[in-house]
């Protein structure tokens, strides 16, 4: 991946009292607490975000969660009881949600360690971007990811309420009922509320940590 600007970041150890992160190379020195925030792009767009930044461990973890859910679904026979199918559905959904949330909370630390390893393995290399550039990019990622989330929830709500008759054949093709769509919508809404709470908690913790280090 090419640097996000033509200006090479300086290899400096982060100074937690400074007001700008534009001169702090990403992956240089101690991990700054200002990065300890929830990453909406990594949470909702894991494959794309990870591929852009080369965070292959996150893609591997995301694939592991996907394969685990798929394997659990395949193990259950098609003629299983409704209670068994519901249990498997809940378990696979929880596994997927837990992995996504973990990725959202730990995307920056994982990427920081990867950059540290790259810089250590290639002594003449420089950081690909600064902490300031990374933070600026994540705002754009957040806007795109949250927009995707809102559109997905709007689509689920339209399916559940049946407001668009043209969507009714889609339910039949996917072998879904309105009750199942309502459950999916409710779970997505509950997961989103949990993530918003976690994001705010991480933001407060990052602000407190940054302030304490600056003292």
């Amino acid at each position: 991946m090419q640097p996000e600007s033509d200006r090479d970041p300086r290899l400096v150890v982060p100074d937690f009292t400074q007001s700008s992160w534009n001169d702090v190379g990403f992956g240089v020195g101690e991990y700054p607490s200002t990065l300890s925030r929830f990453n909406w792009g990594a949470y909702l767009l894991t494959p794309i975000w990870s591929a852009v930044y080369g965070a292959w461990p996150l893609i591997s973890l995301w694939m592991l969660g996907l394969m685990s859910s798929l394997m659990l679904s395949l193990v259950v026979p098609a003629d299983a009881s409704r209670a068994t199918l519901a249990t498997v559905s809940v378990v696979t959904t929880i596994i997927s949600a837990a992995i996504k949330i973990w990725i959202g909370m730990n995307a920056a630390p994982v990427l920081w360690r990867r950059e540290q390893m790259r810089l250590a393995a290639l002594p003449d290399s420089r950081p690909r971007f600064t902490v300031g550039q990374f933070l600026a990019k994540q705002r754009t990622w957040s806007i795109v990811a949250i927009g995707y989330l809102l559109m997905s929830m709007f689509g689920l709500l339209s399916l559940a309420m049946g407001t668009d008759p043209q969507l009714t054949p889609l339910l039949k093709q996917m072998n879904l009922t309105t009750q199942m769509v309502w459950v999916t919508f409710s779970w997505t809404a509950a997961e989103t509320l949990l993530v918003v709470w976690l994001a705010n908690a991480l933001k407060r913790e990052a602000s407190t940590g940054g302030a304490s280090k600056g003292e």
Side-chain angles (χ1 to χ4, degrees), residues 170-187:
L170 180 61
L171 286 175
K172 295 181 179 179
Q173 292 177 6
M174 300 177 65
N175 197 25
L176 296 175
T177 64
T178 54
Q179 290 81 4
M180 295 171 65
V181 178
W182 272 117
V183 170
T184 303
F185 174 82
S186 301
W187 175 269

Side-chain angles (χ1 to χ4, degrees), residues 156-164 178 181-182:
L156 287 172
L157 187 61
S158 299
L159 282 173
M161 297 181 65
T163 54
D164 189 349
T178 54
V181 178
W182 272 117

Side-chain angles (χ1 to χ4, degrees), residues 26-165:
F26 193 97
V28 178
E30 182 183 352
Y31 178 75
S33 60
T34 190
L35 292 176
S36 299
R37 301 183 181 188
F38 194 84
N39 193 305
W40 287 91
Y43 163 63
L44 291 170
L45 306 171
T46 304
I48 302 175
W49 189 94
S50 300
V52 168
Y53 286 100
W56 308 117
L58 297 182
I59 293 183
S60 300
L61 180 60
W62 181 82
M63 288 296 297
L64 178 62
L66 185 64
M67 294 301 296
S68 299
S69 300
L70 180 60
M71 291 301 296
L72 282 175
S73 301
L74 293 176
V75 167
V76 180
D79 57 350
S81 64
R82 182 172 297 181
T84 301
L85 293 174
T87 301
V88 172
S89 177
V90 170
V91 171
T92 55
T93 302
I94 291 175
I95 291 175
S96 176
I99 290 177
K100 286 167 52 186
I101 292 174
W102 188 92
I103 290 174
M105 295 177 65
N106 294 277
V110 169
L111 184 59
W112 185 274
R113 286 193 293 270
R114 181 196 176 282
E115 287 298 299
Q116 280 188 324
M117 293 174 61
R118 186 184 69 84
L119 293 172
L122 303 172
D124 294 333
S125 64
R126 286 183 172 272
R128 298 182 297 166
F129 42 82
T130 66
V131 172
Q133 290 168 342
F134 178 79
L135 291 173
K137 288 290 186 180
Q138 298 322 296
R139 297 187 187 98
T140 302
W141 278 99
S142 296
I143 293 173
V144 174
I146 293 174
Y148 164 76
L149 174 63
L150 293 177
M151 287 190 296
S152 299
M153 294 188 68
F154 178 77
L156 287 172
L157 187 61
S158 299
L159 282 173
M161 297 181 65
T163 54
D164 189 349

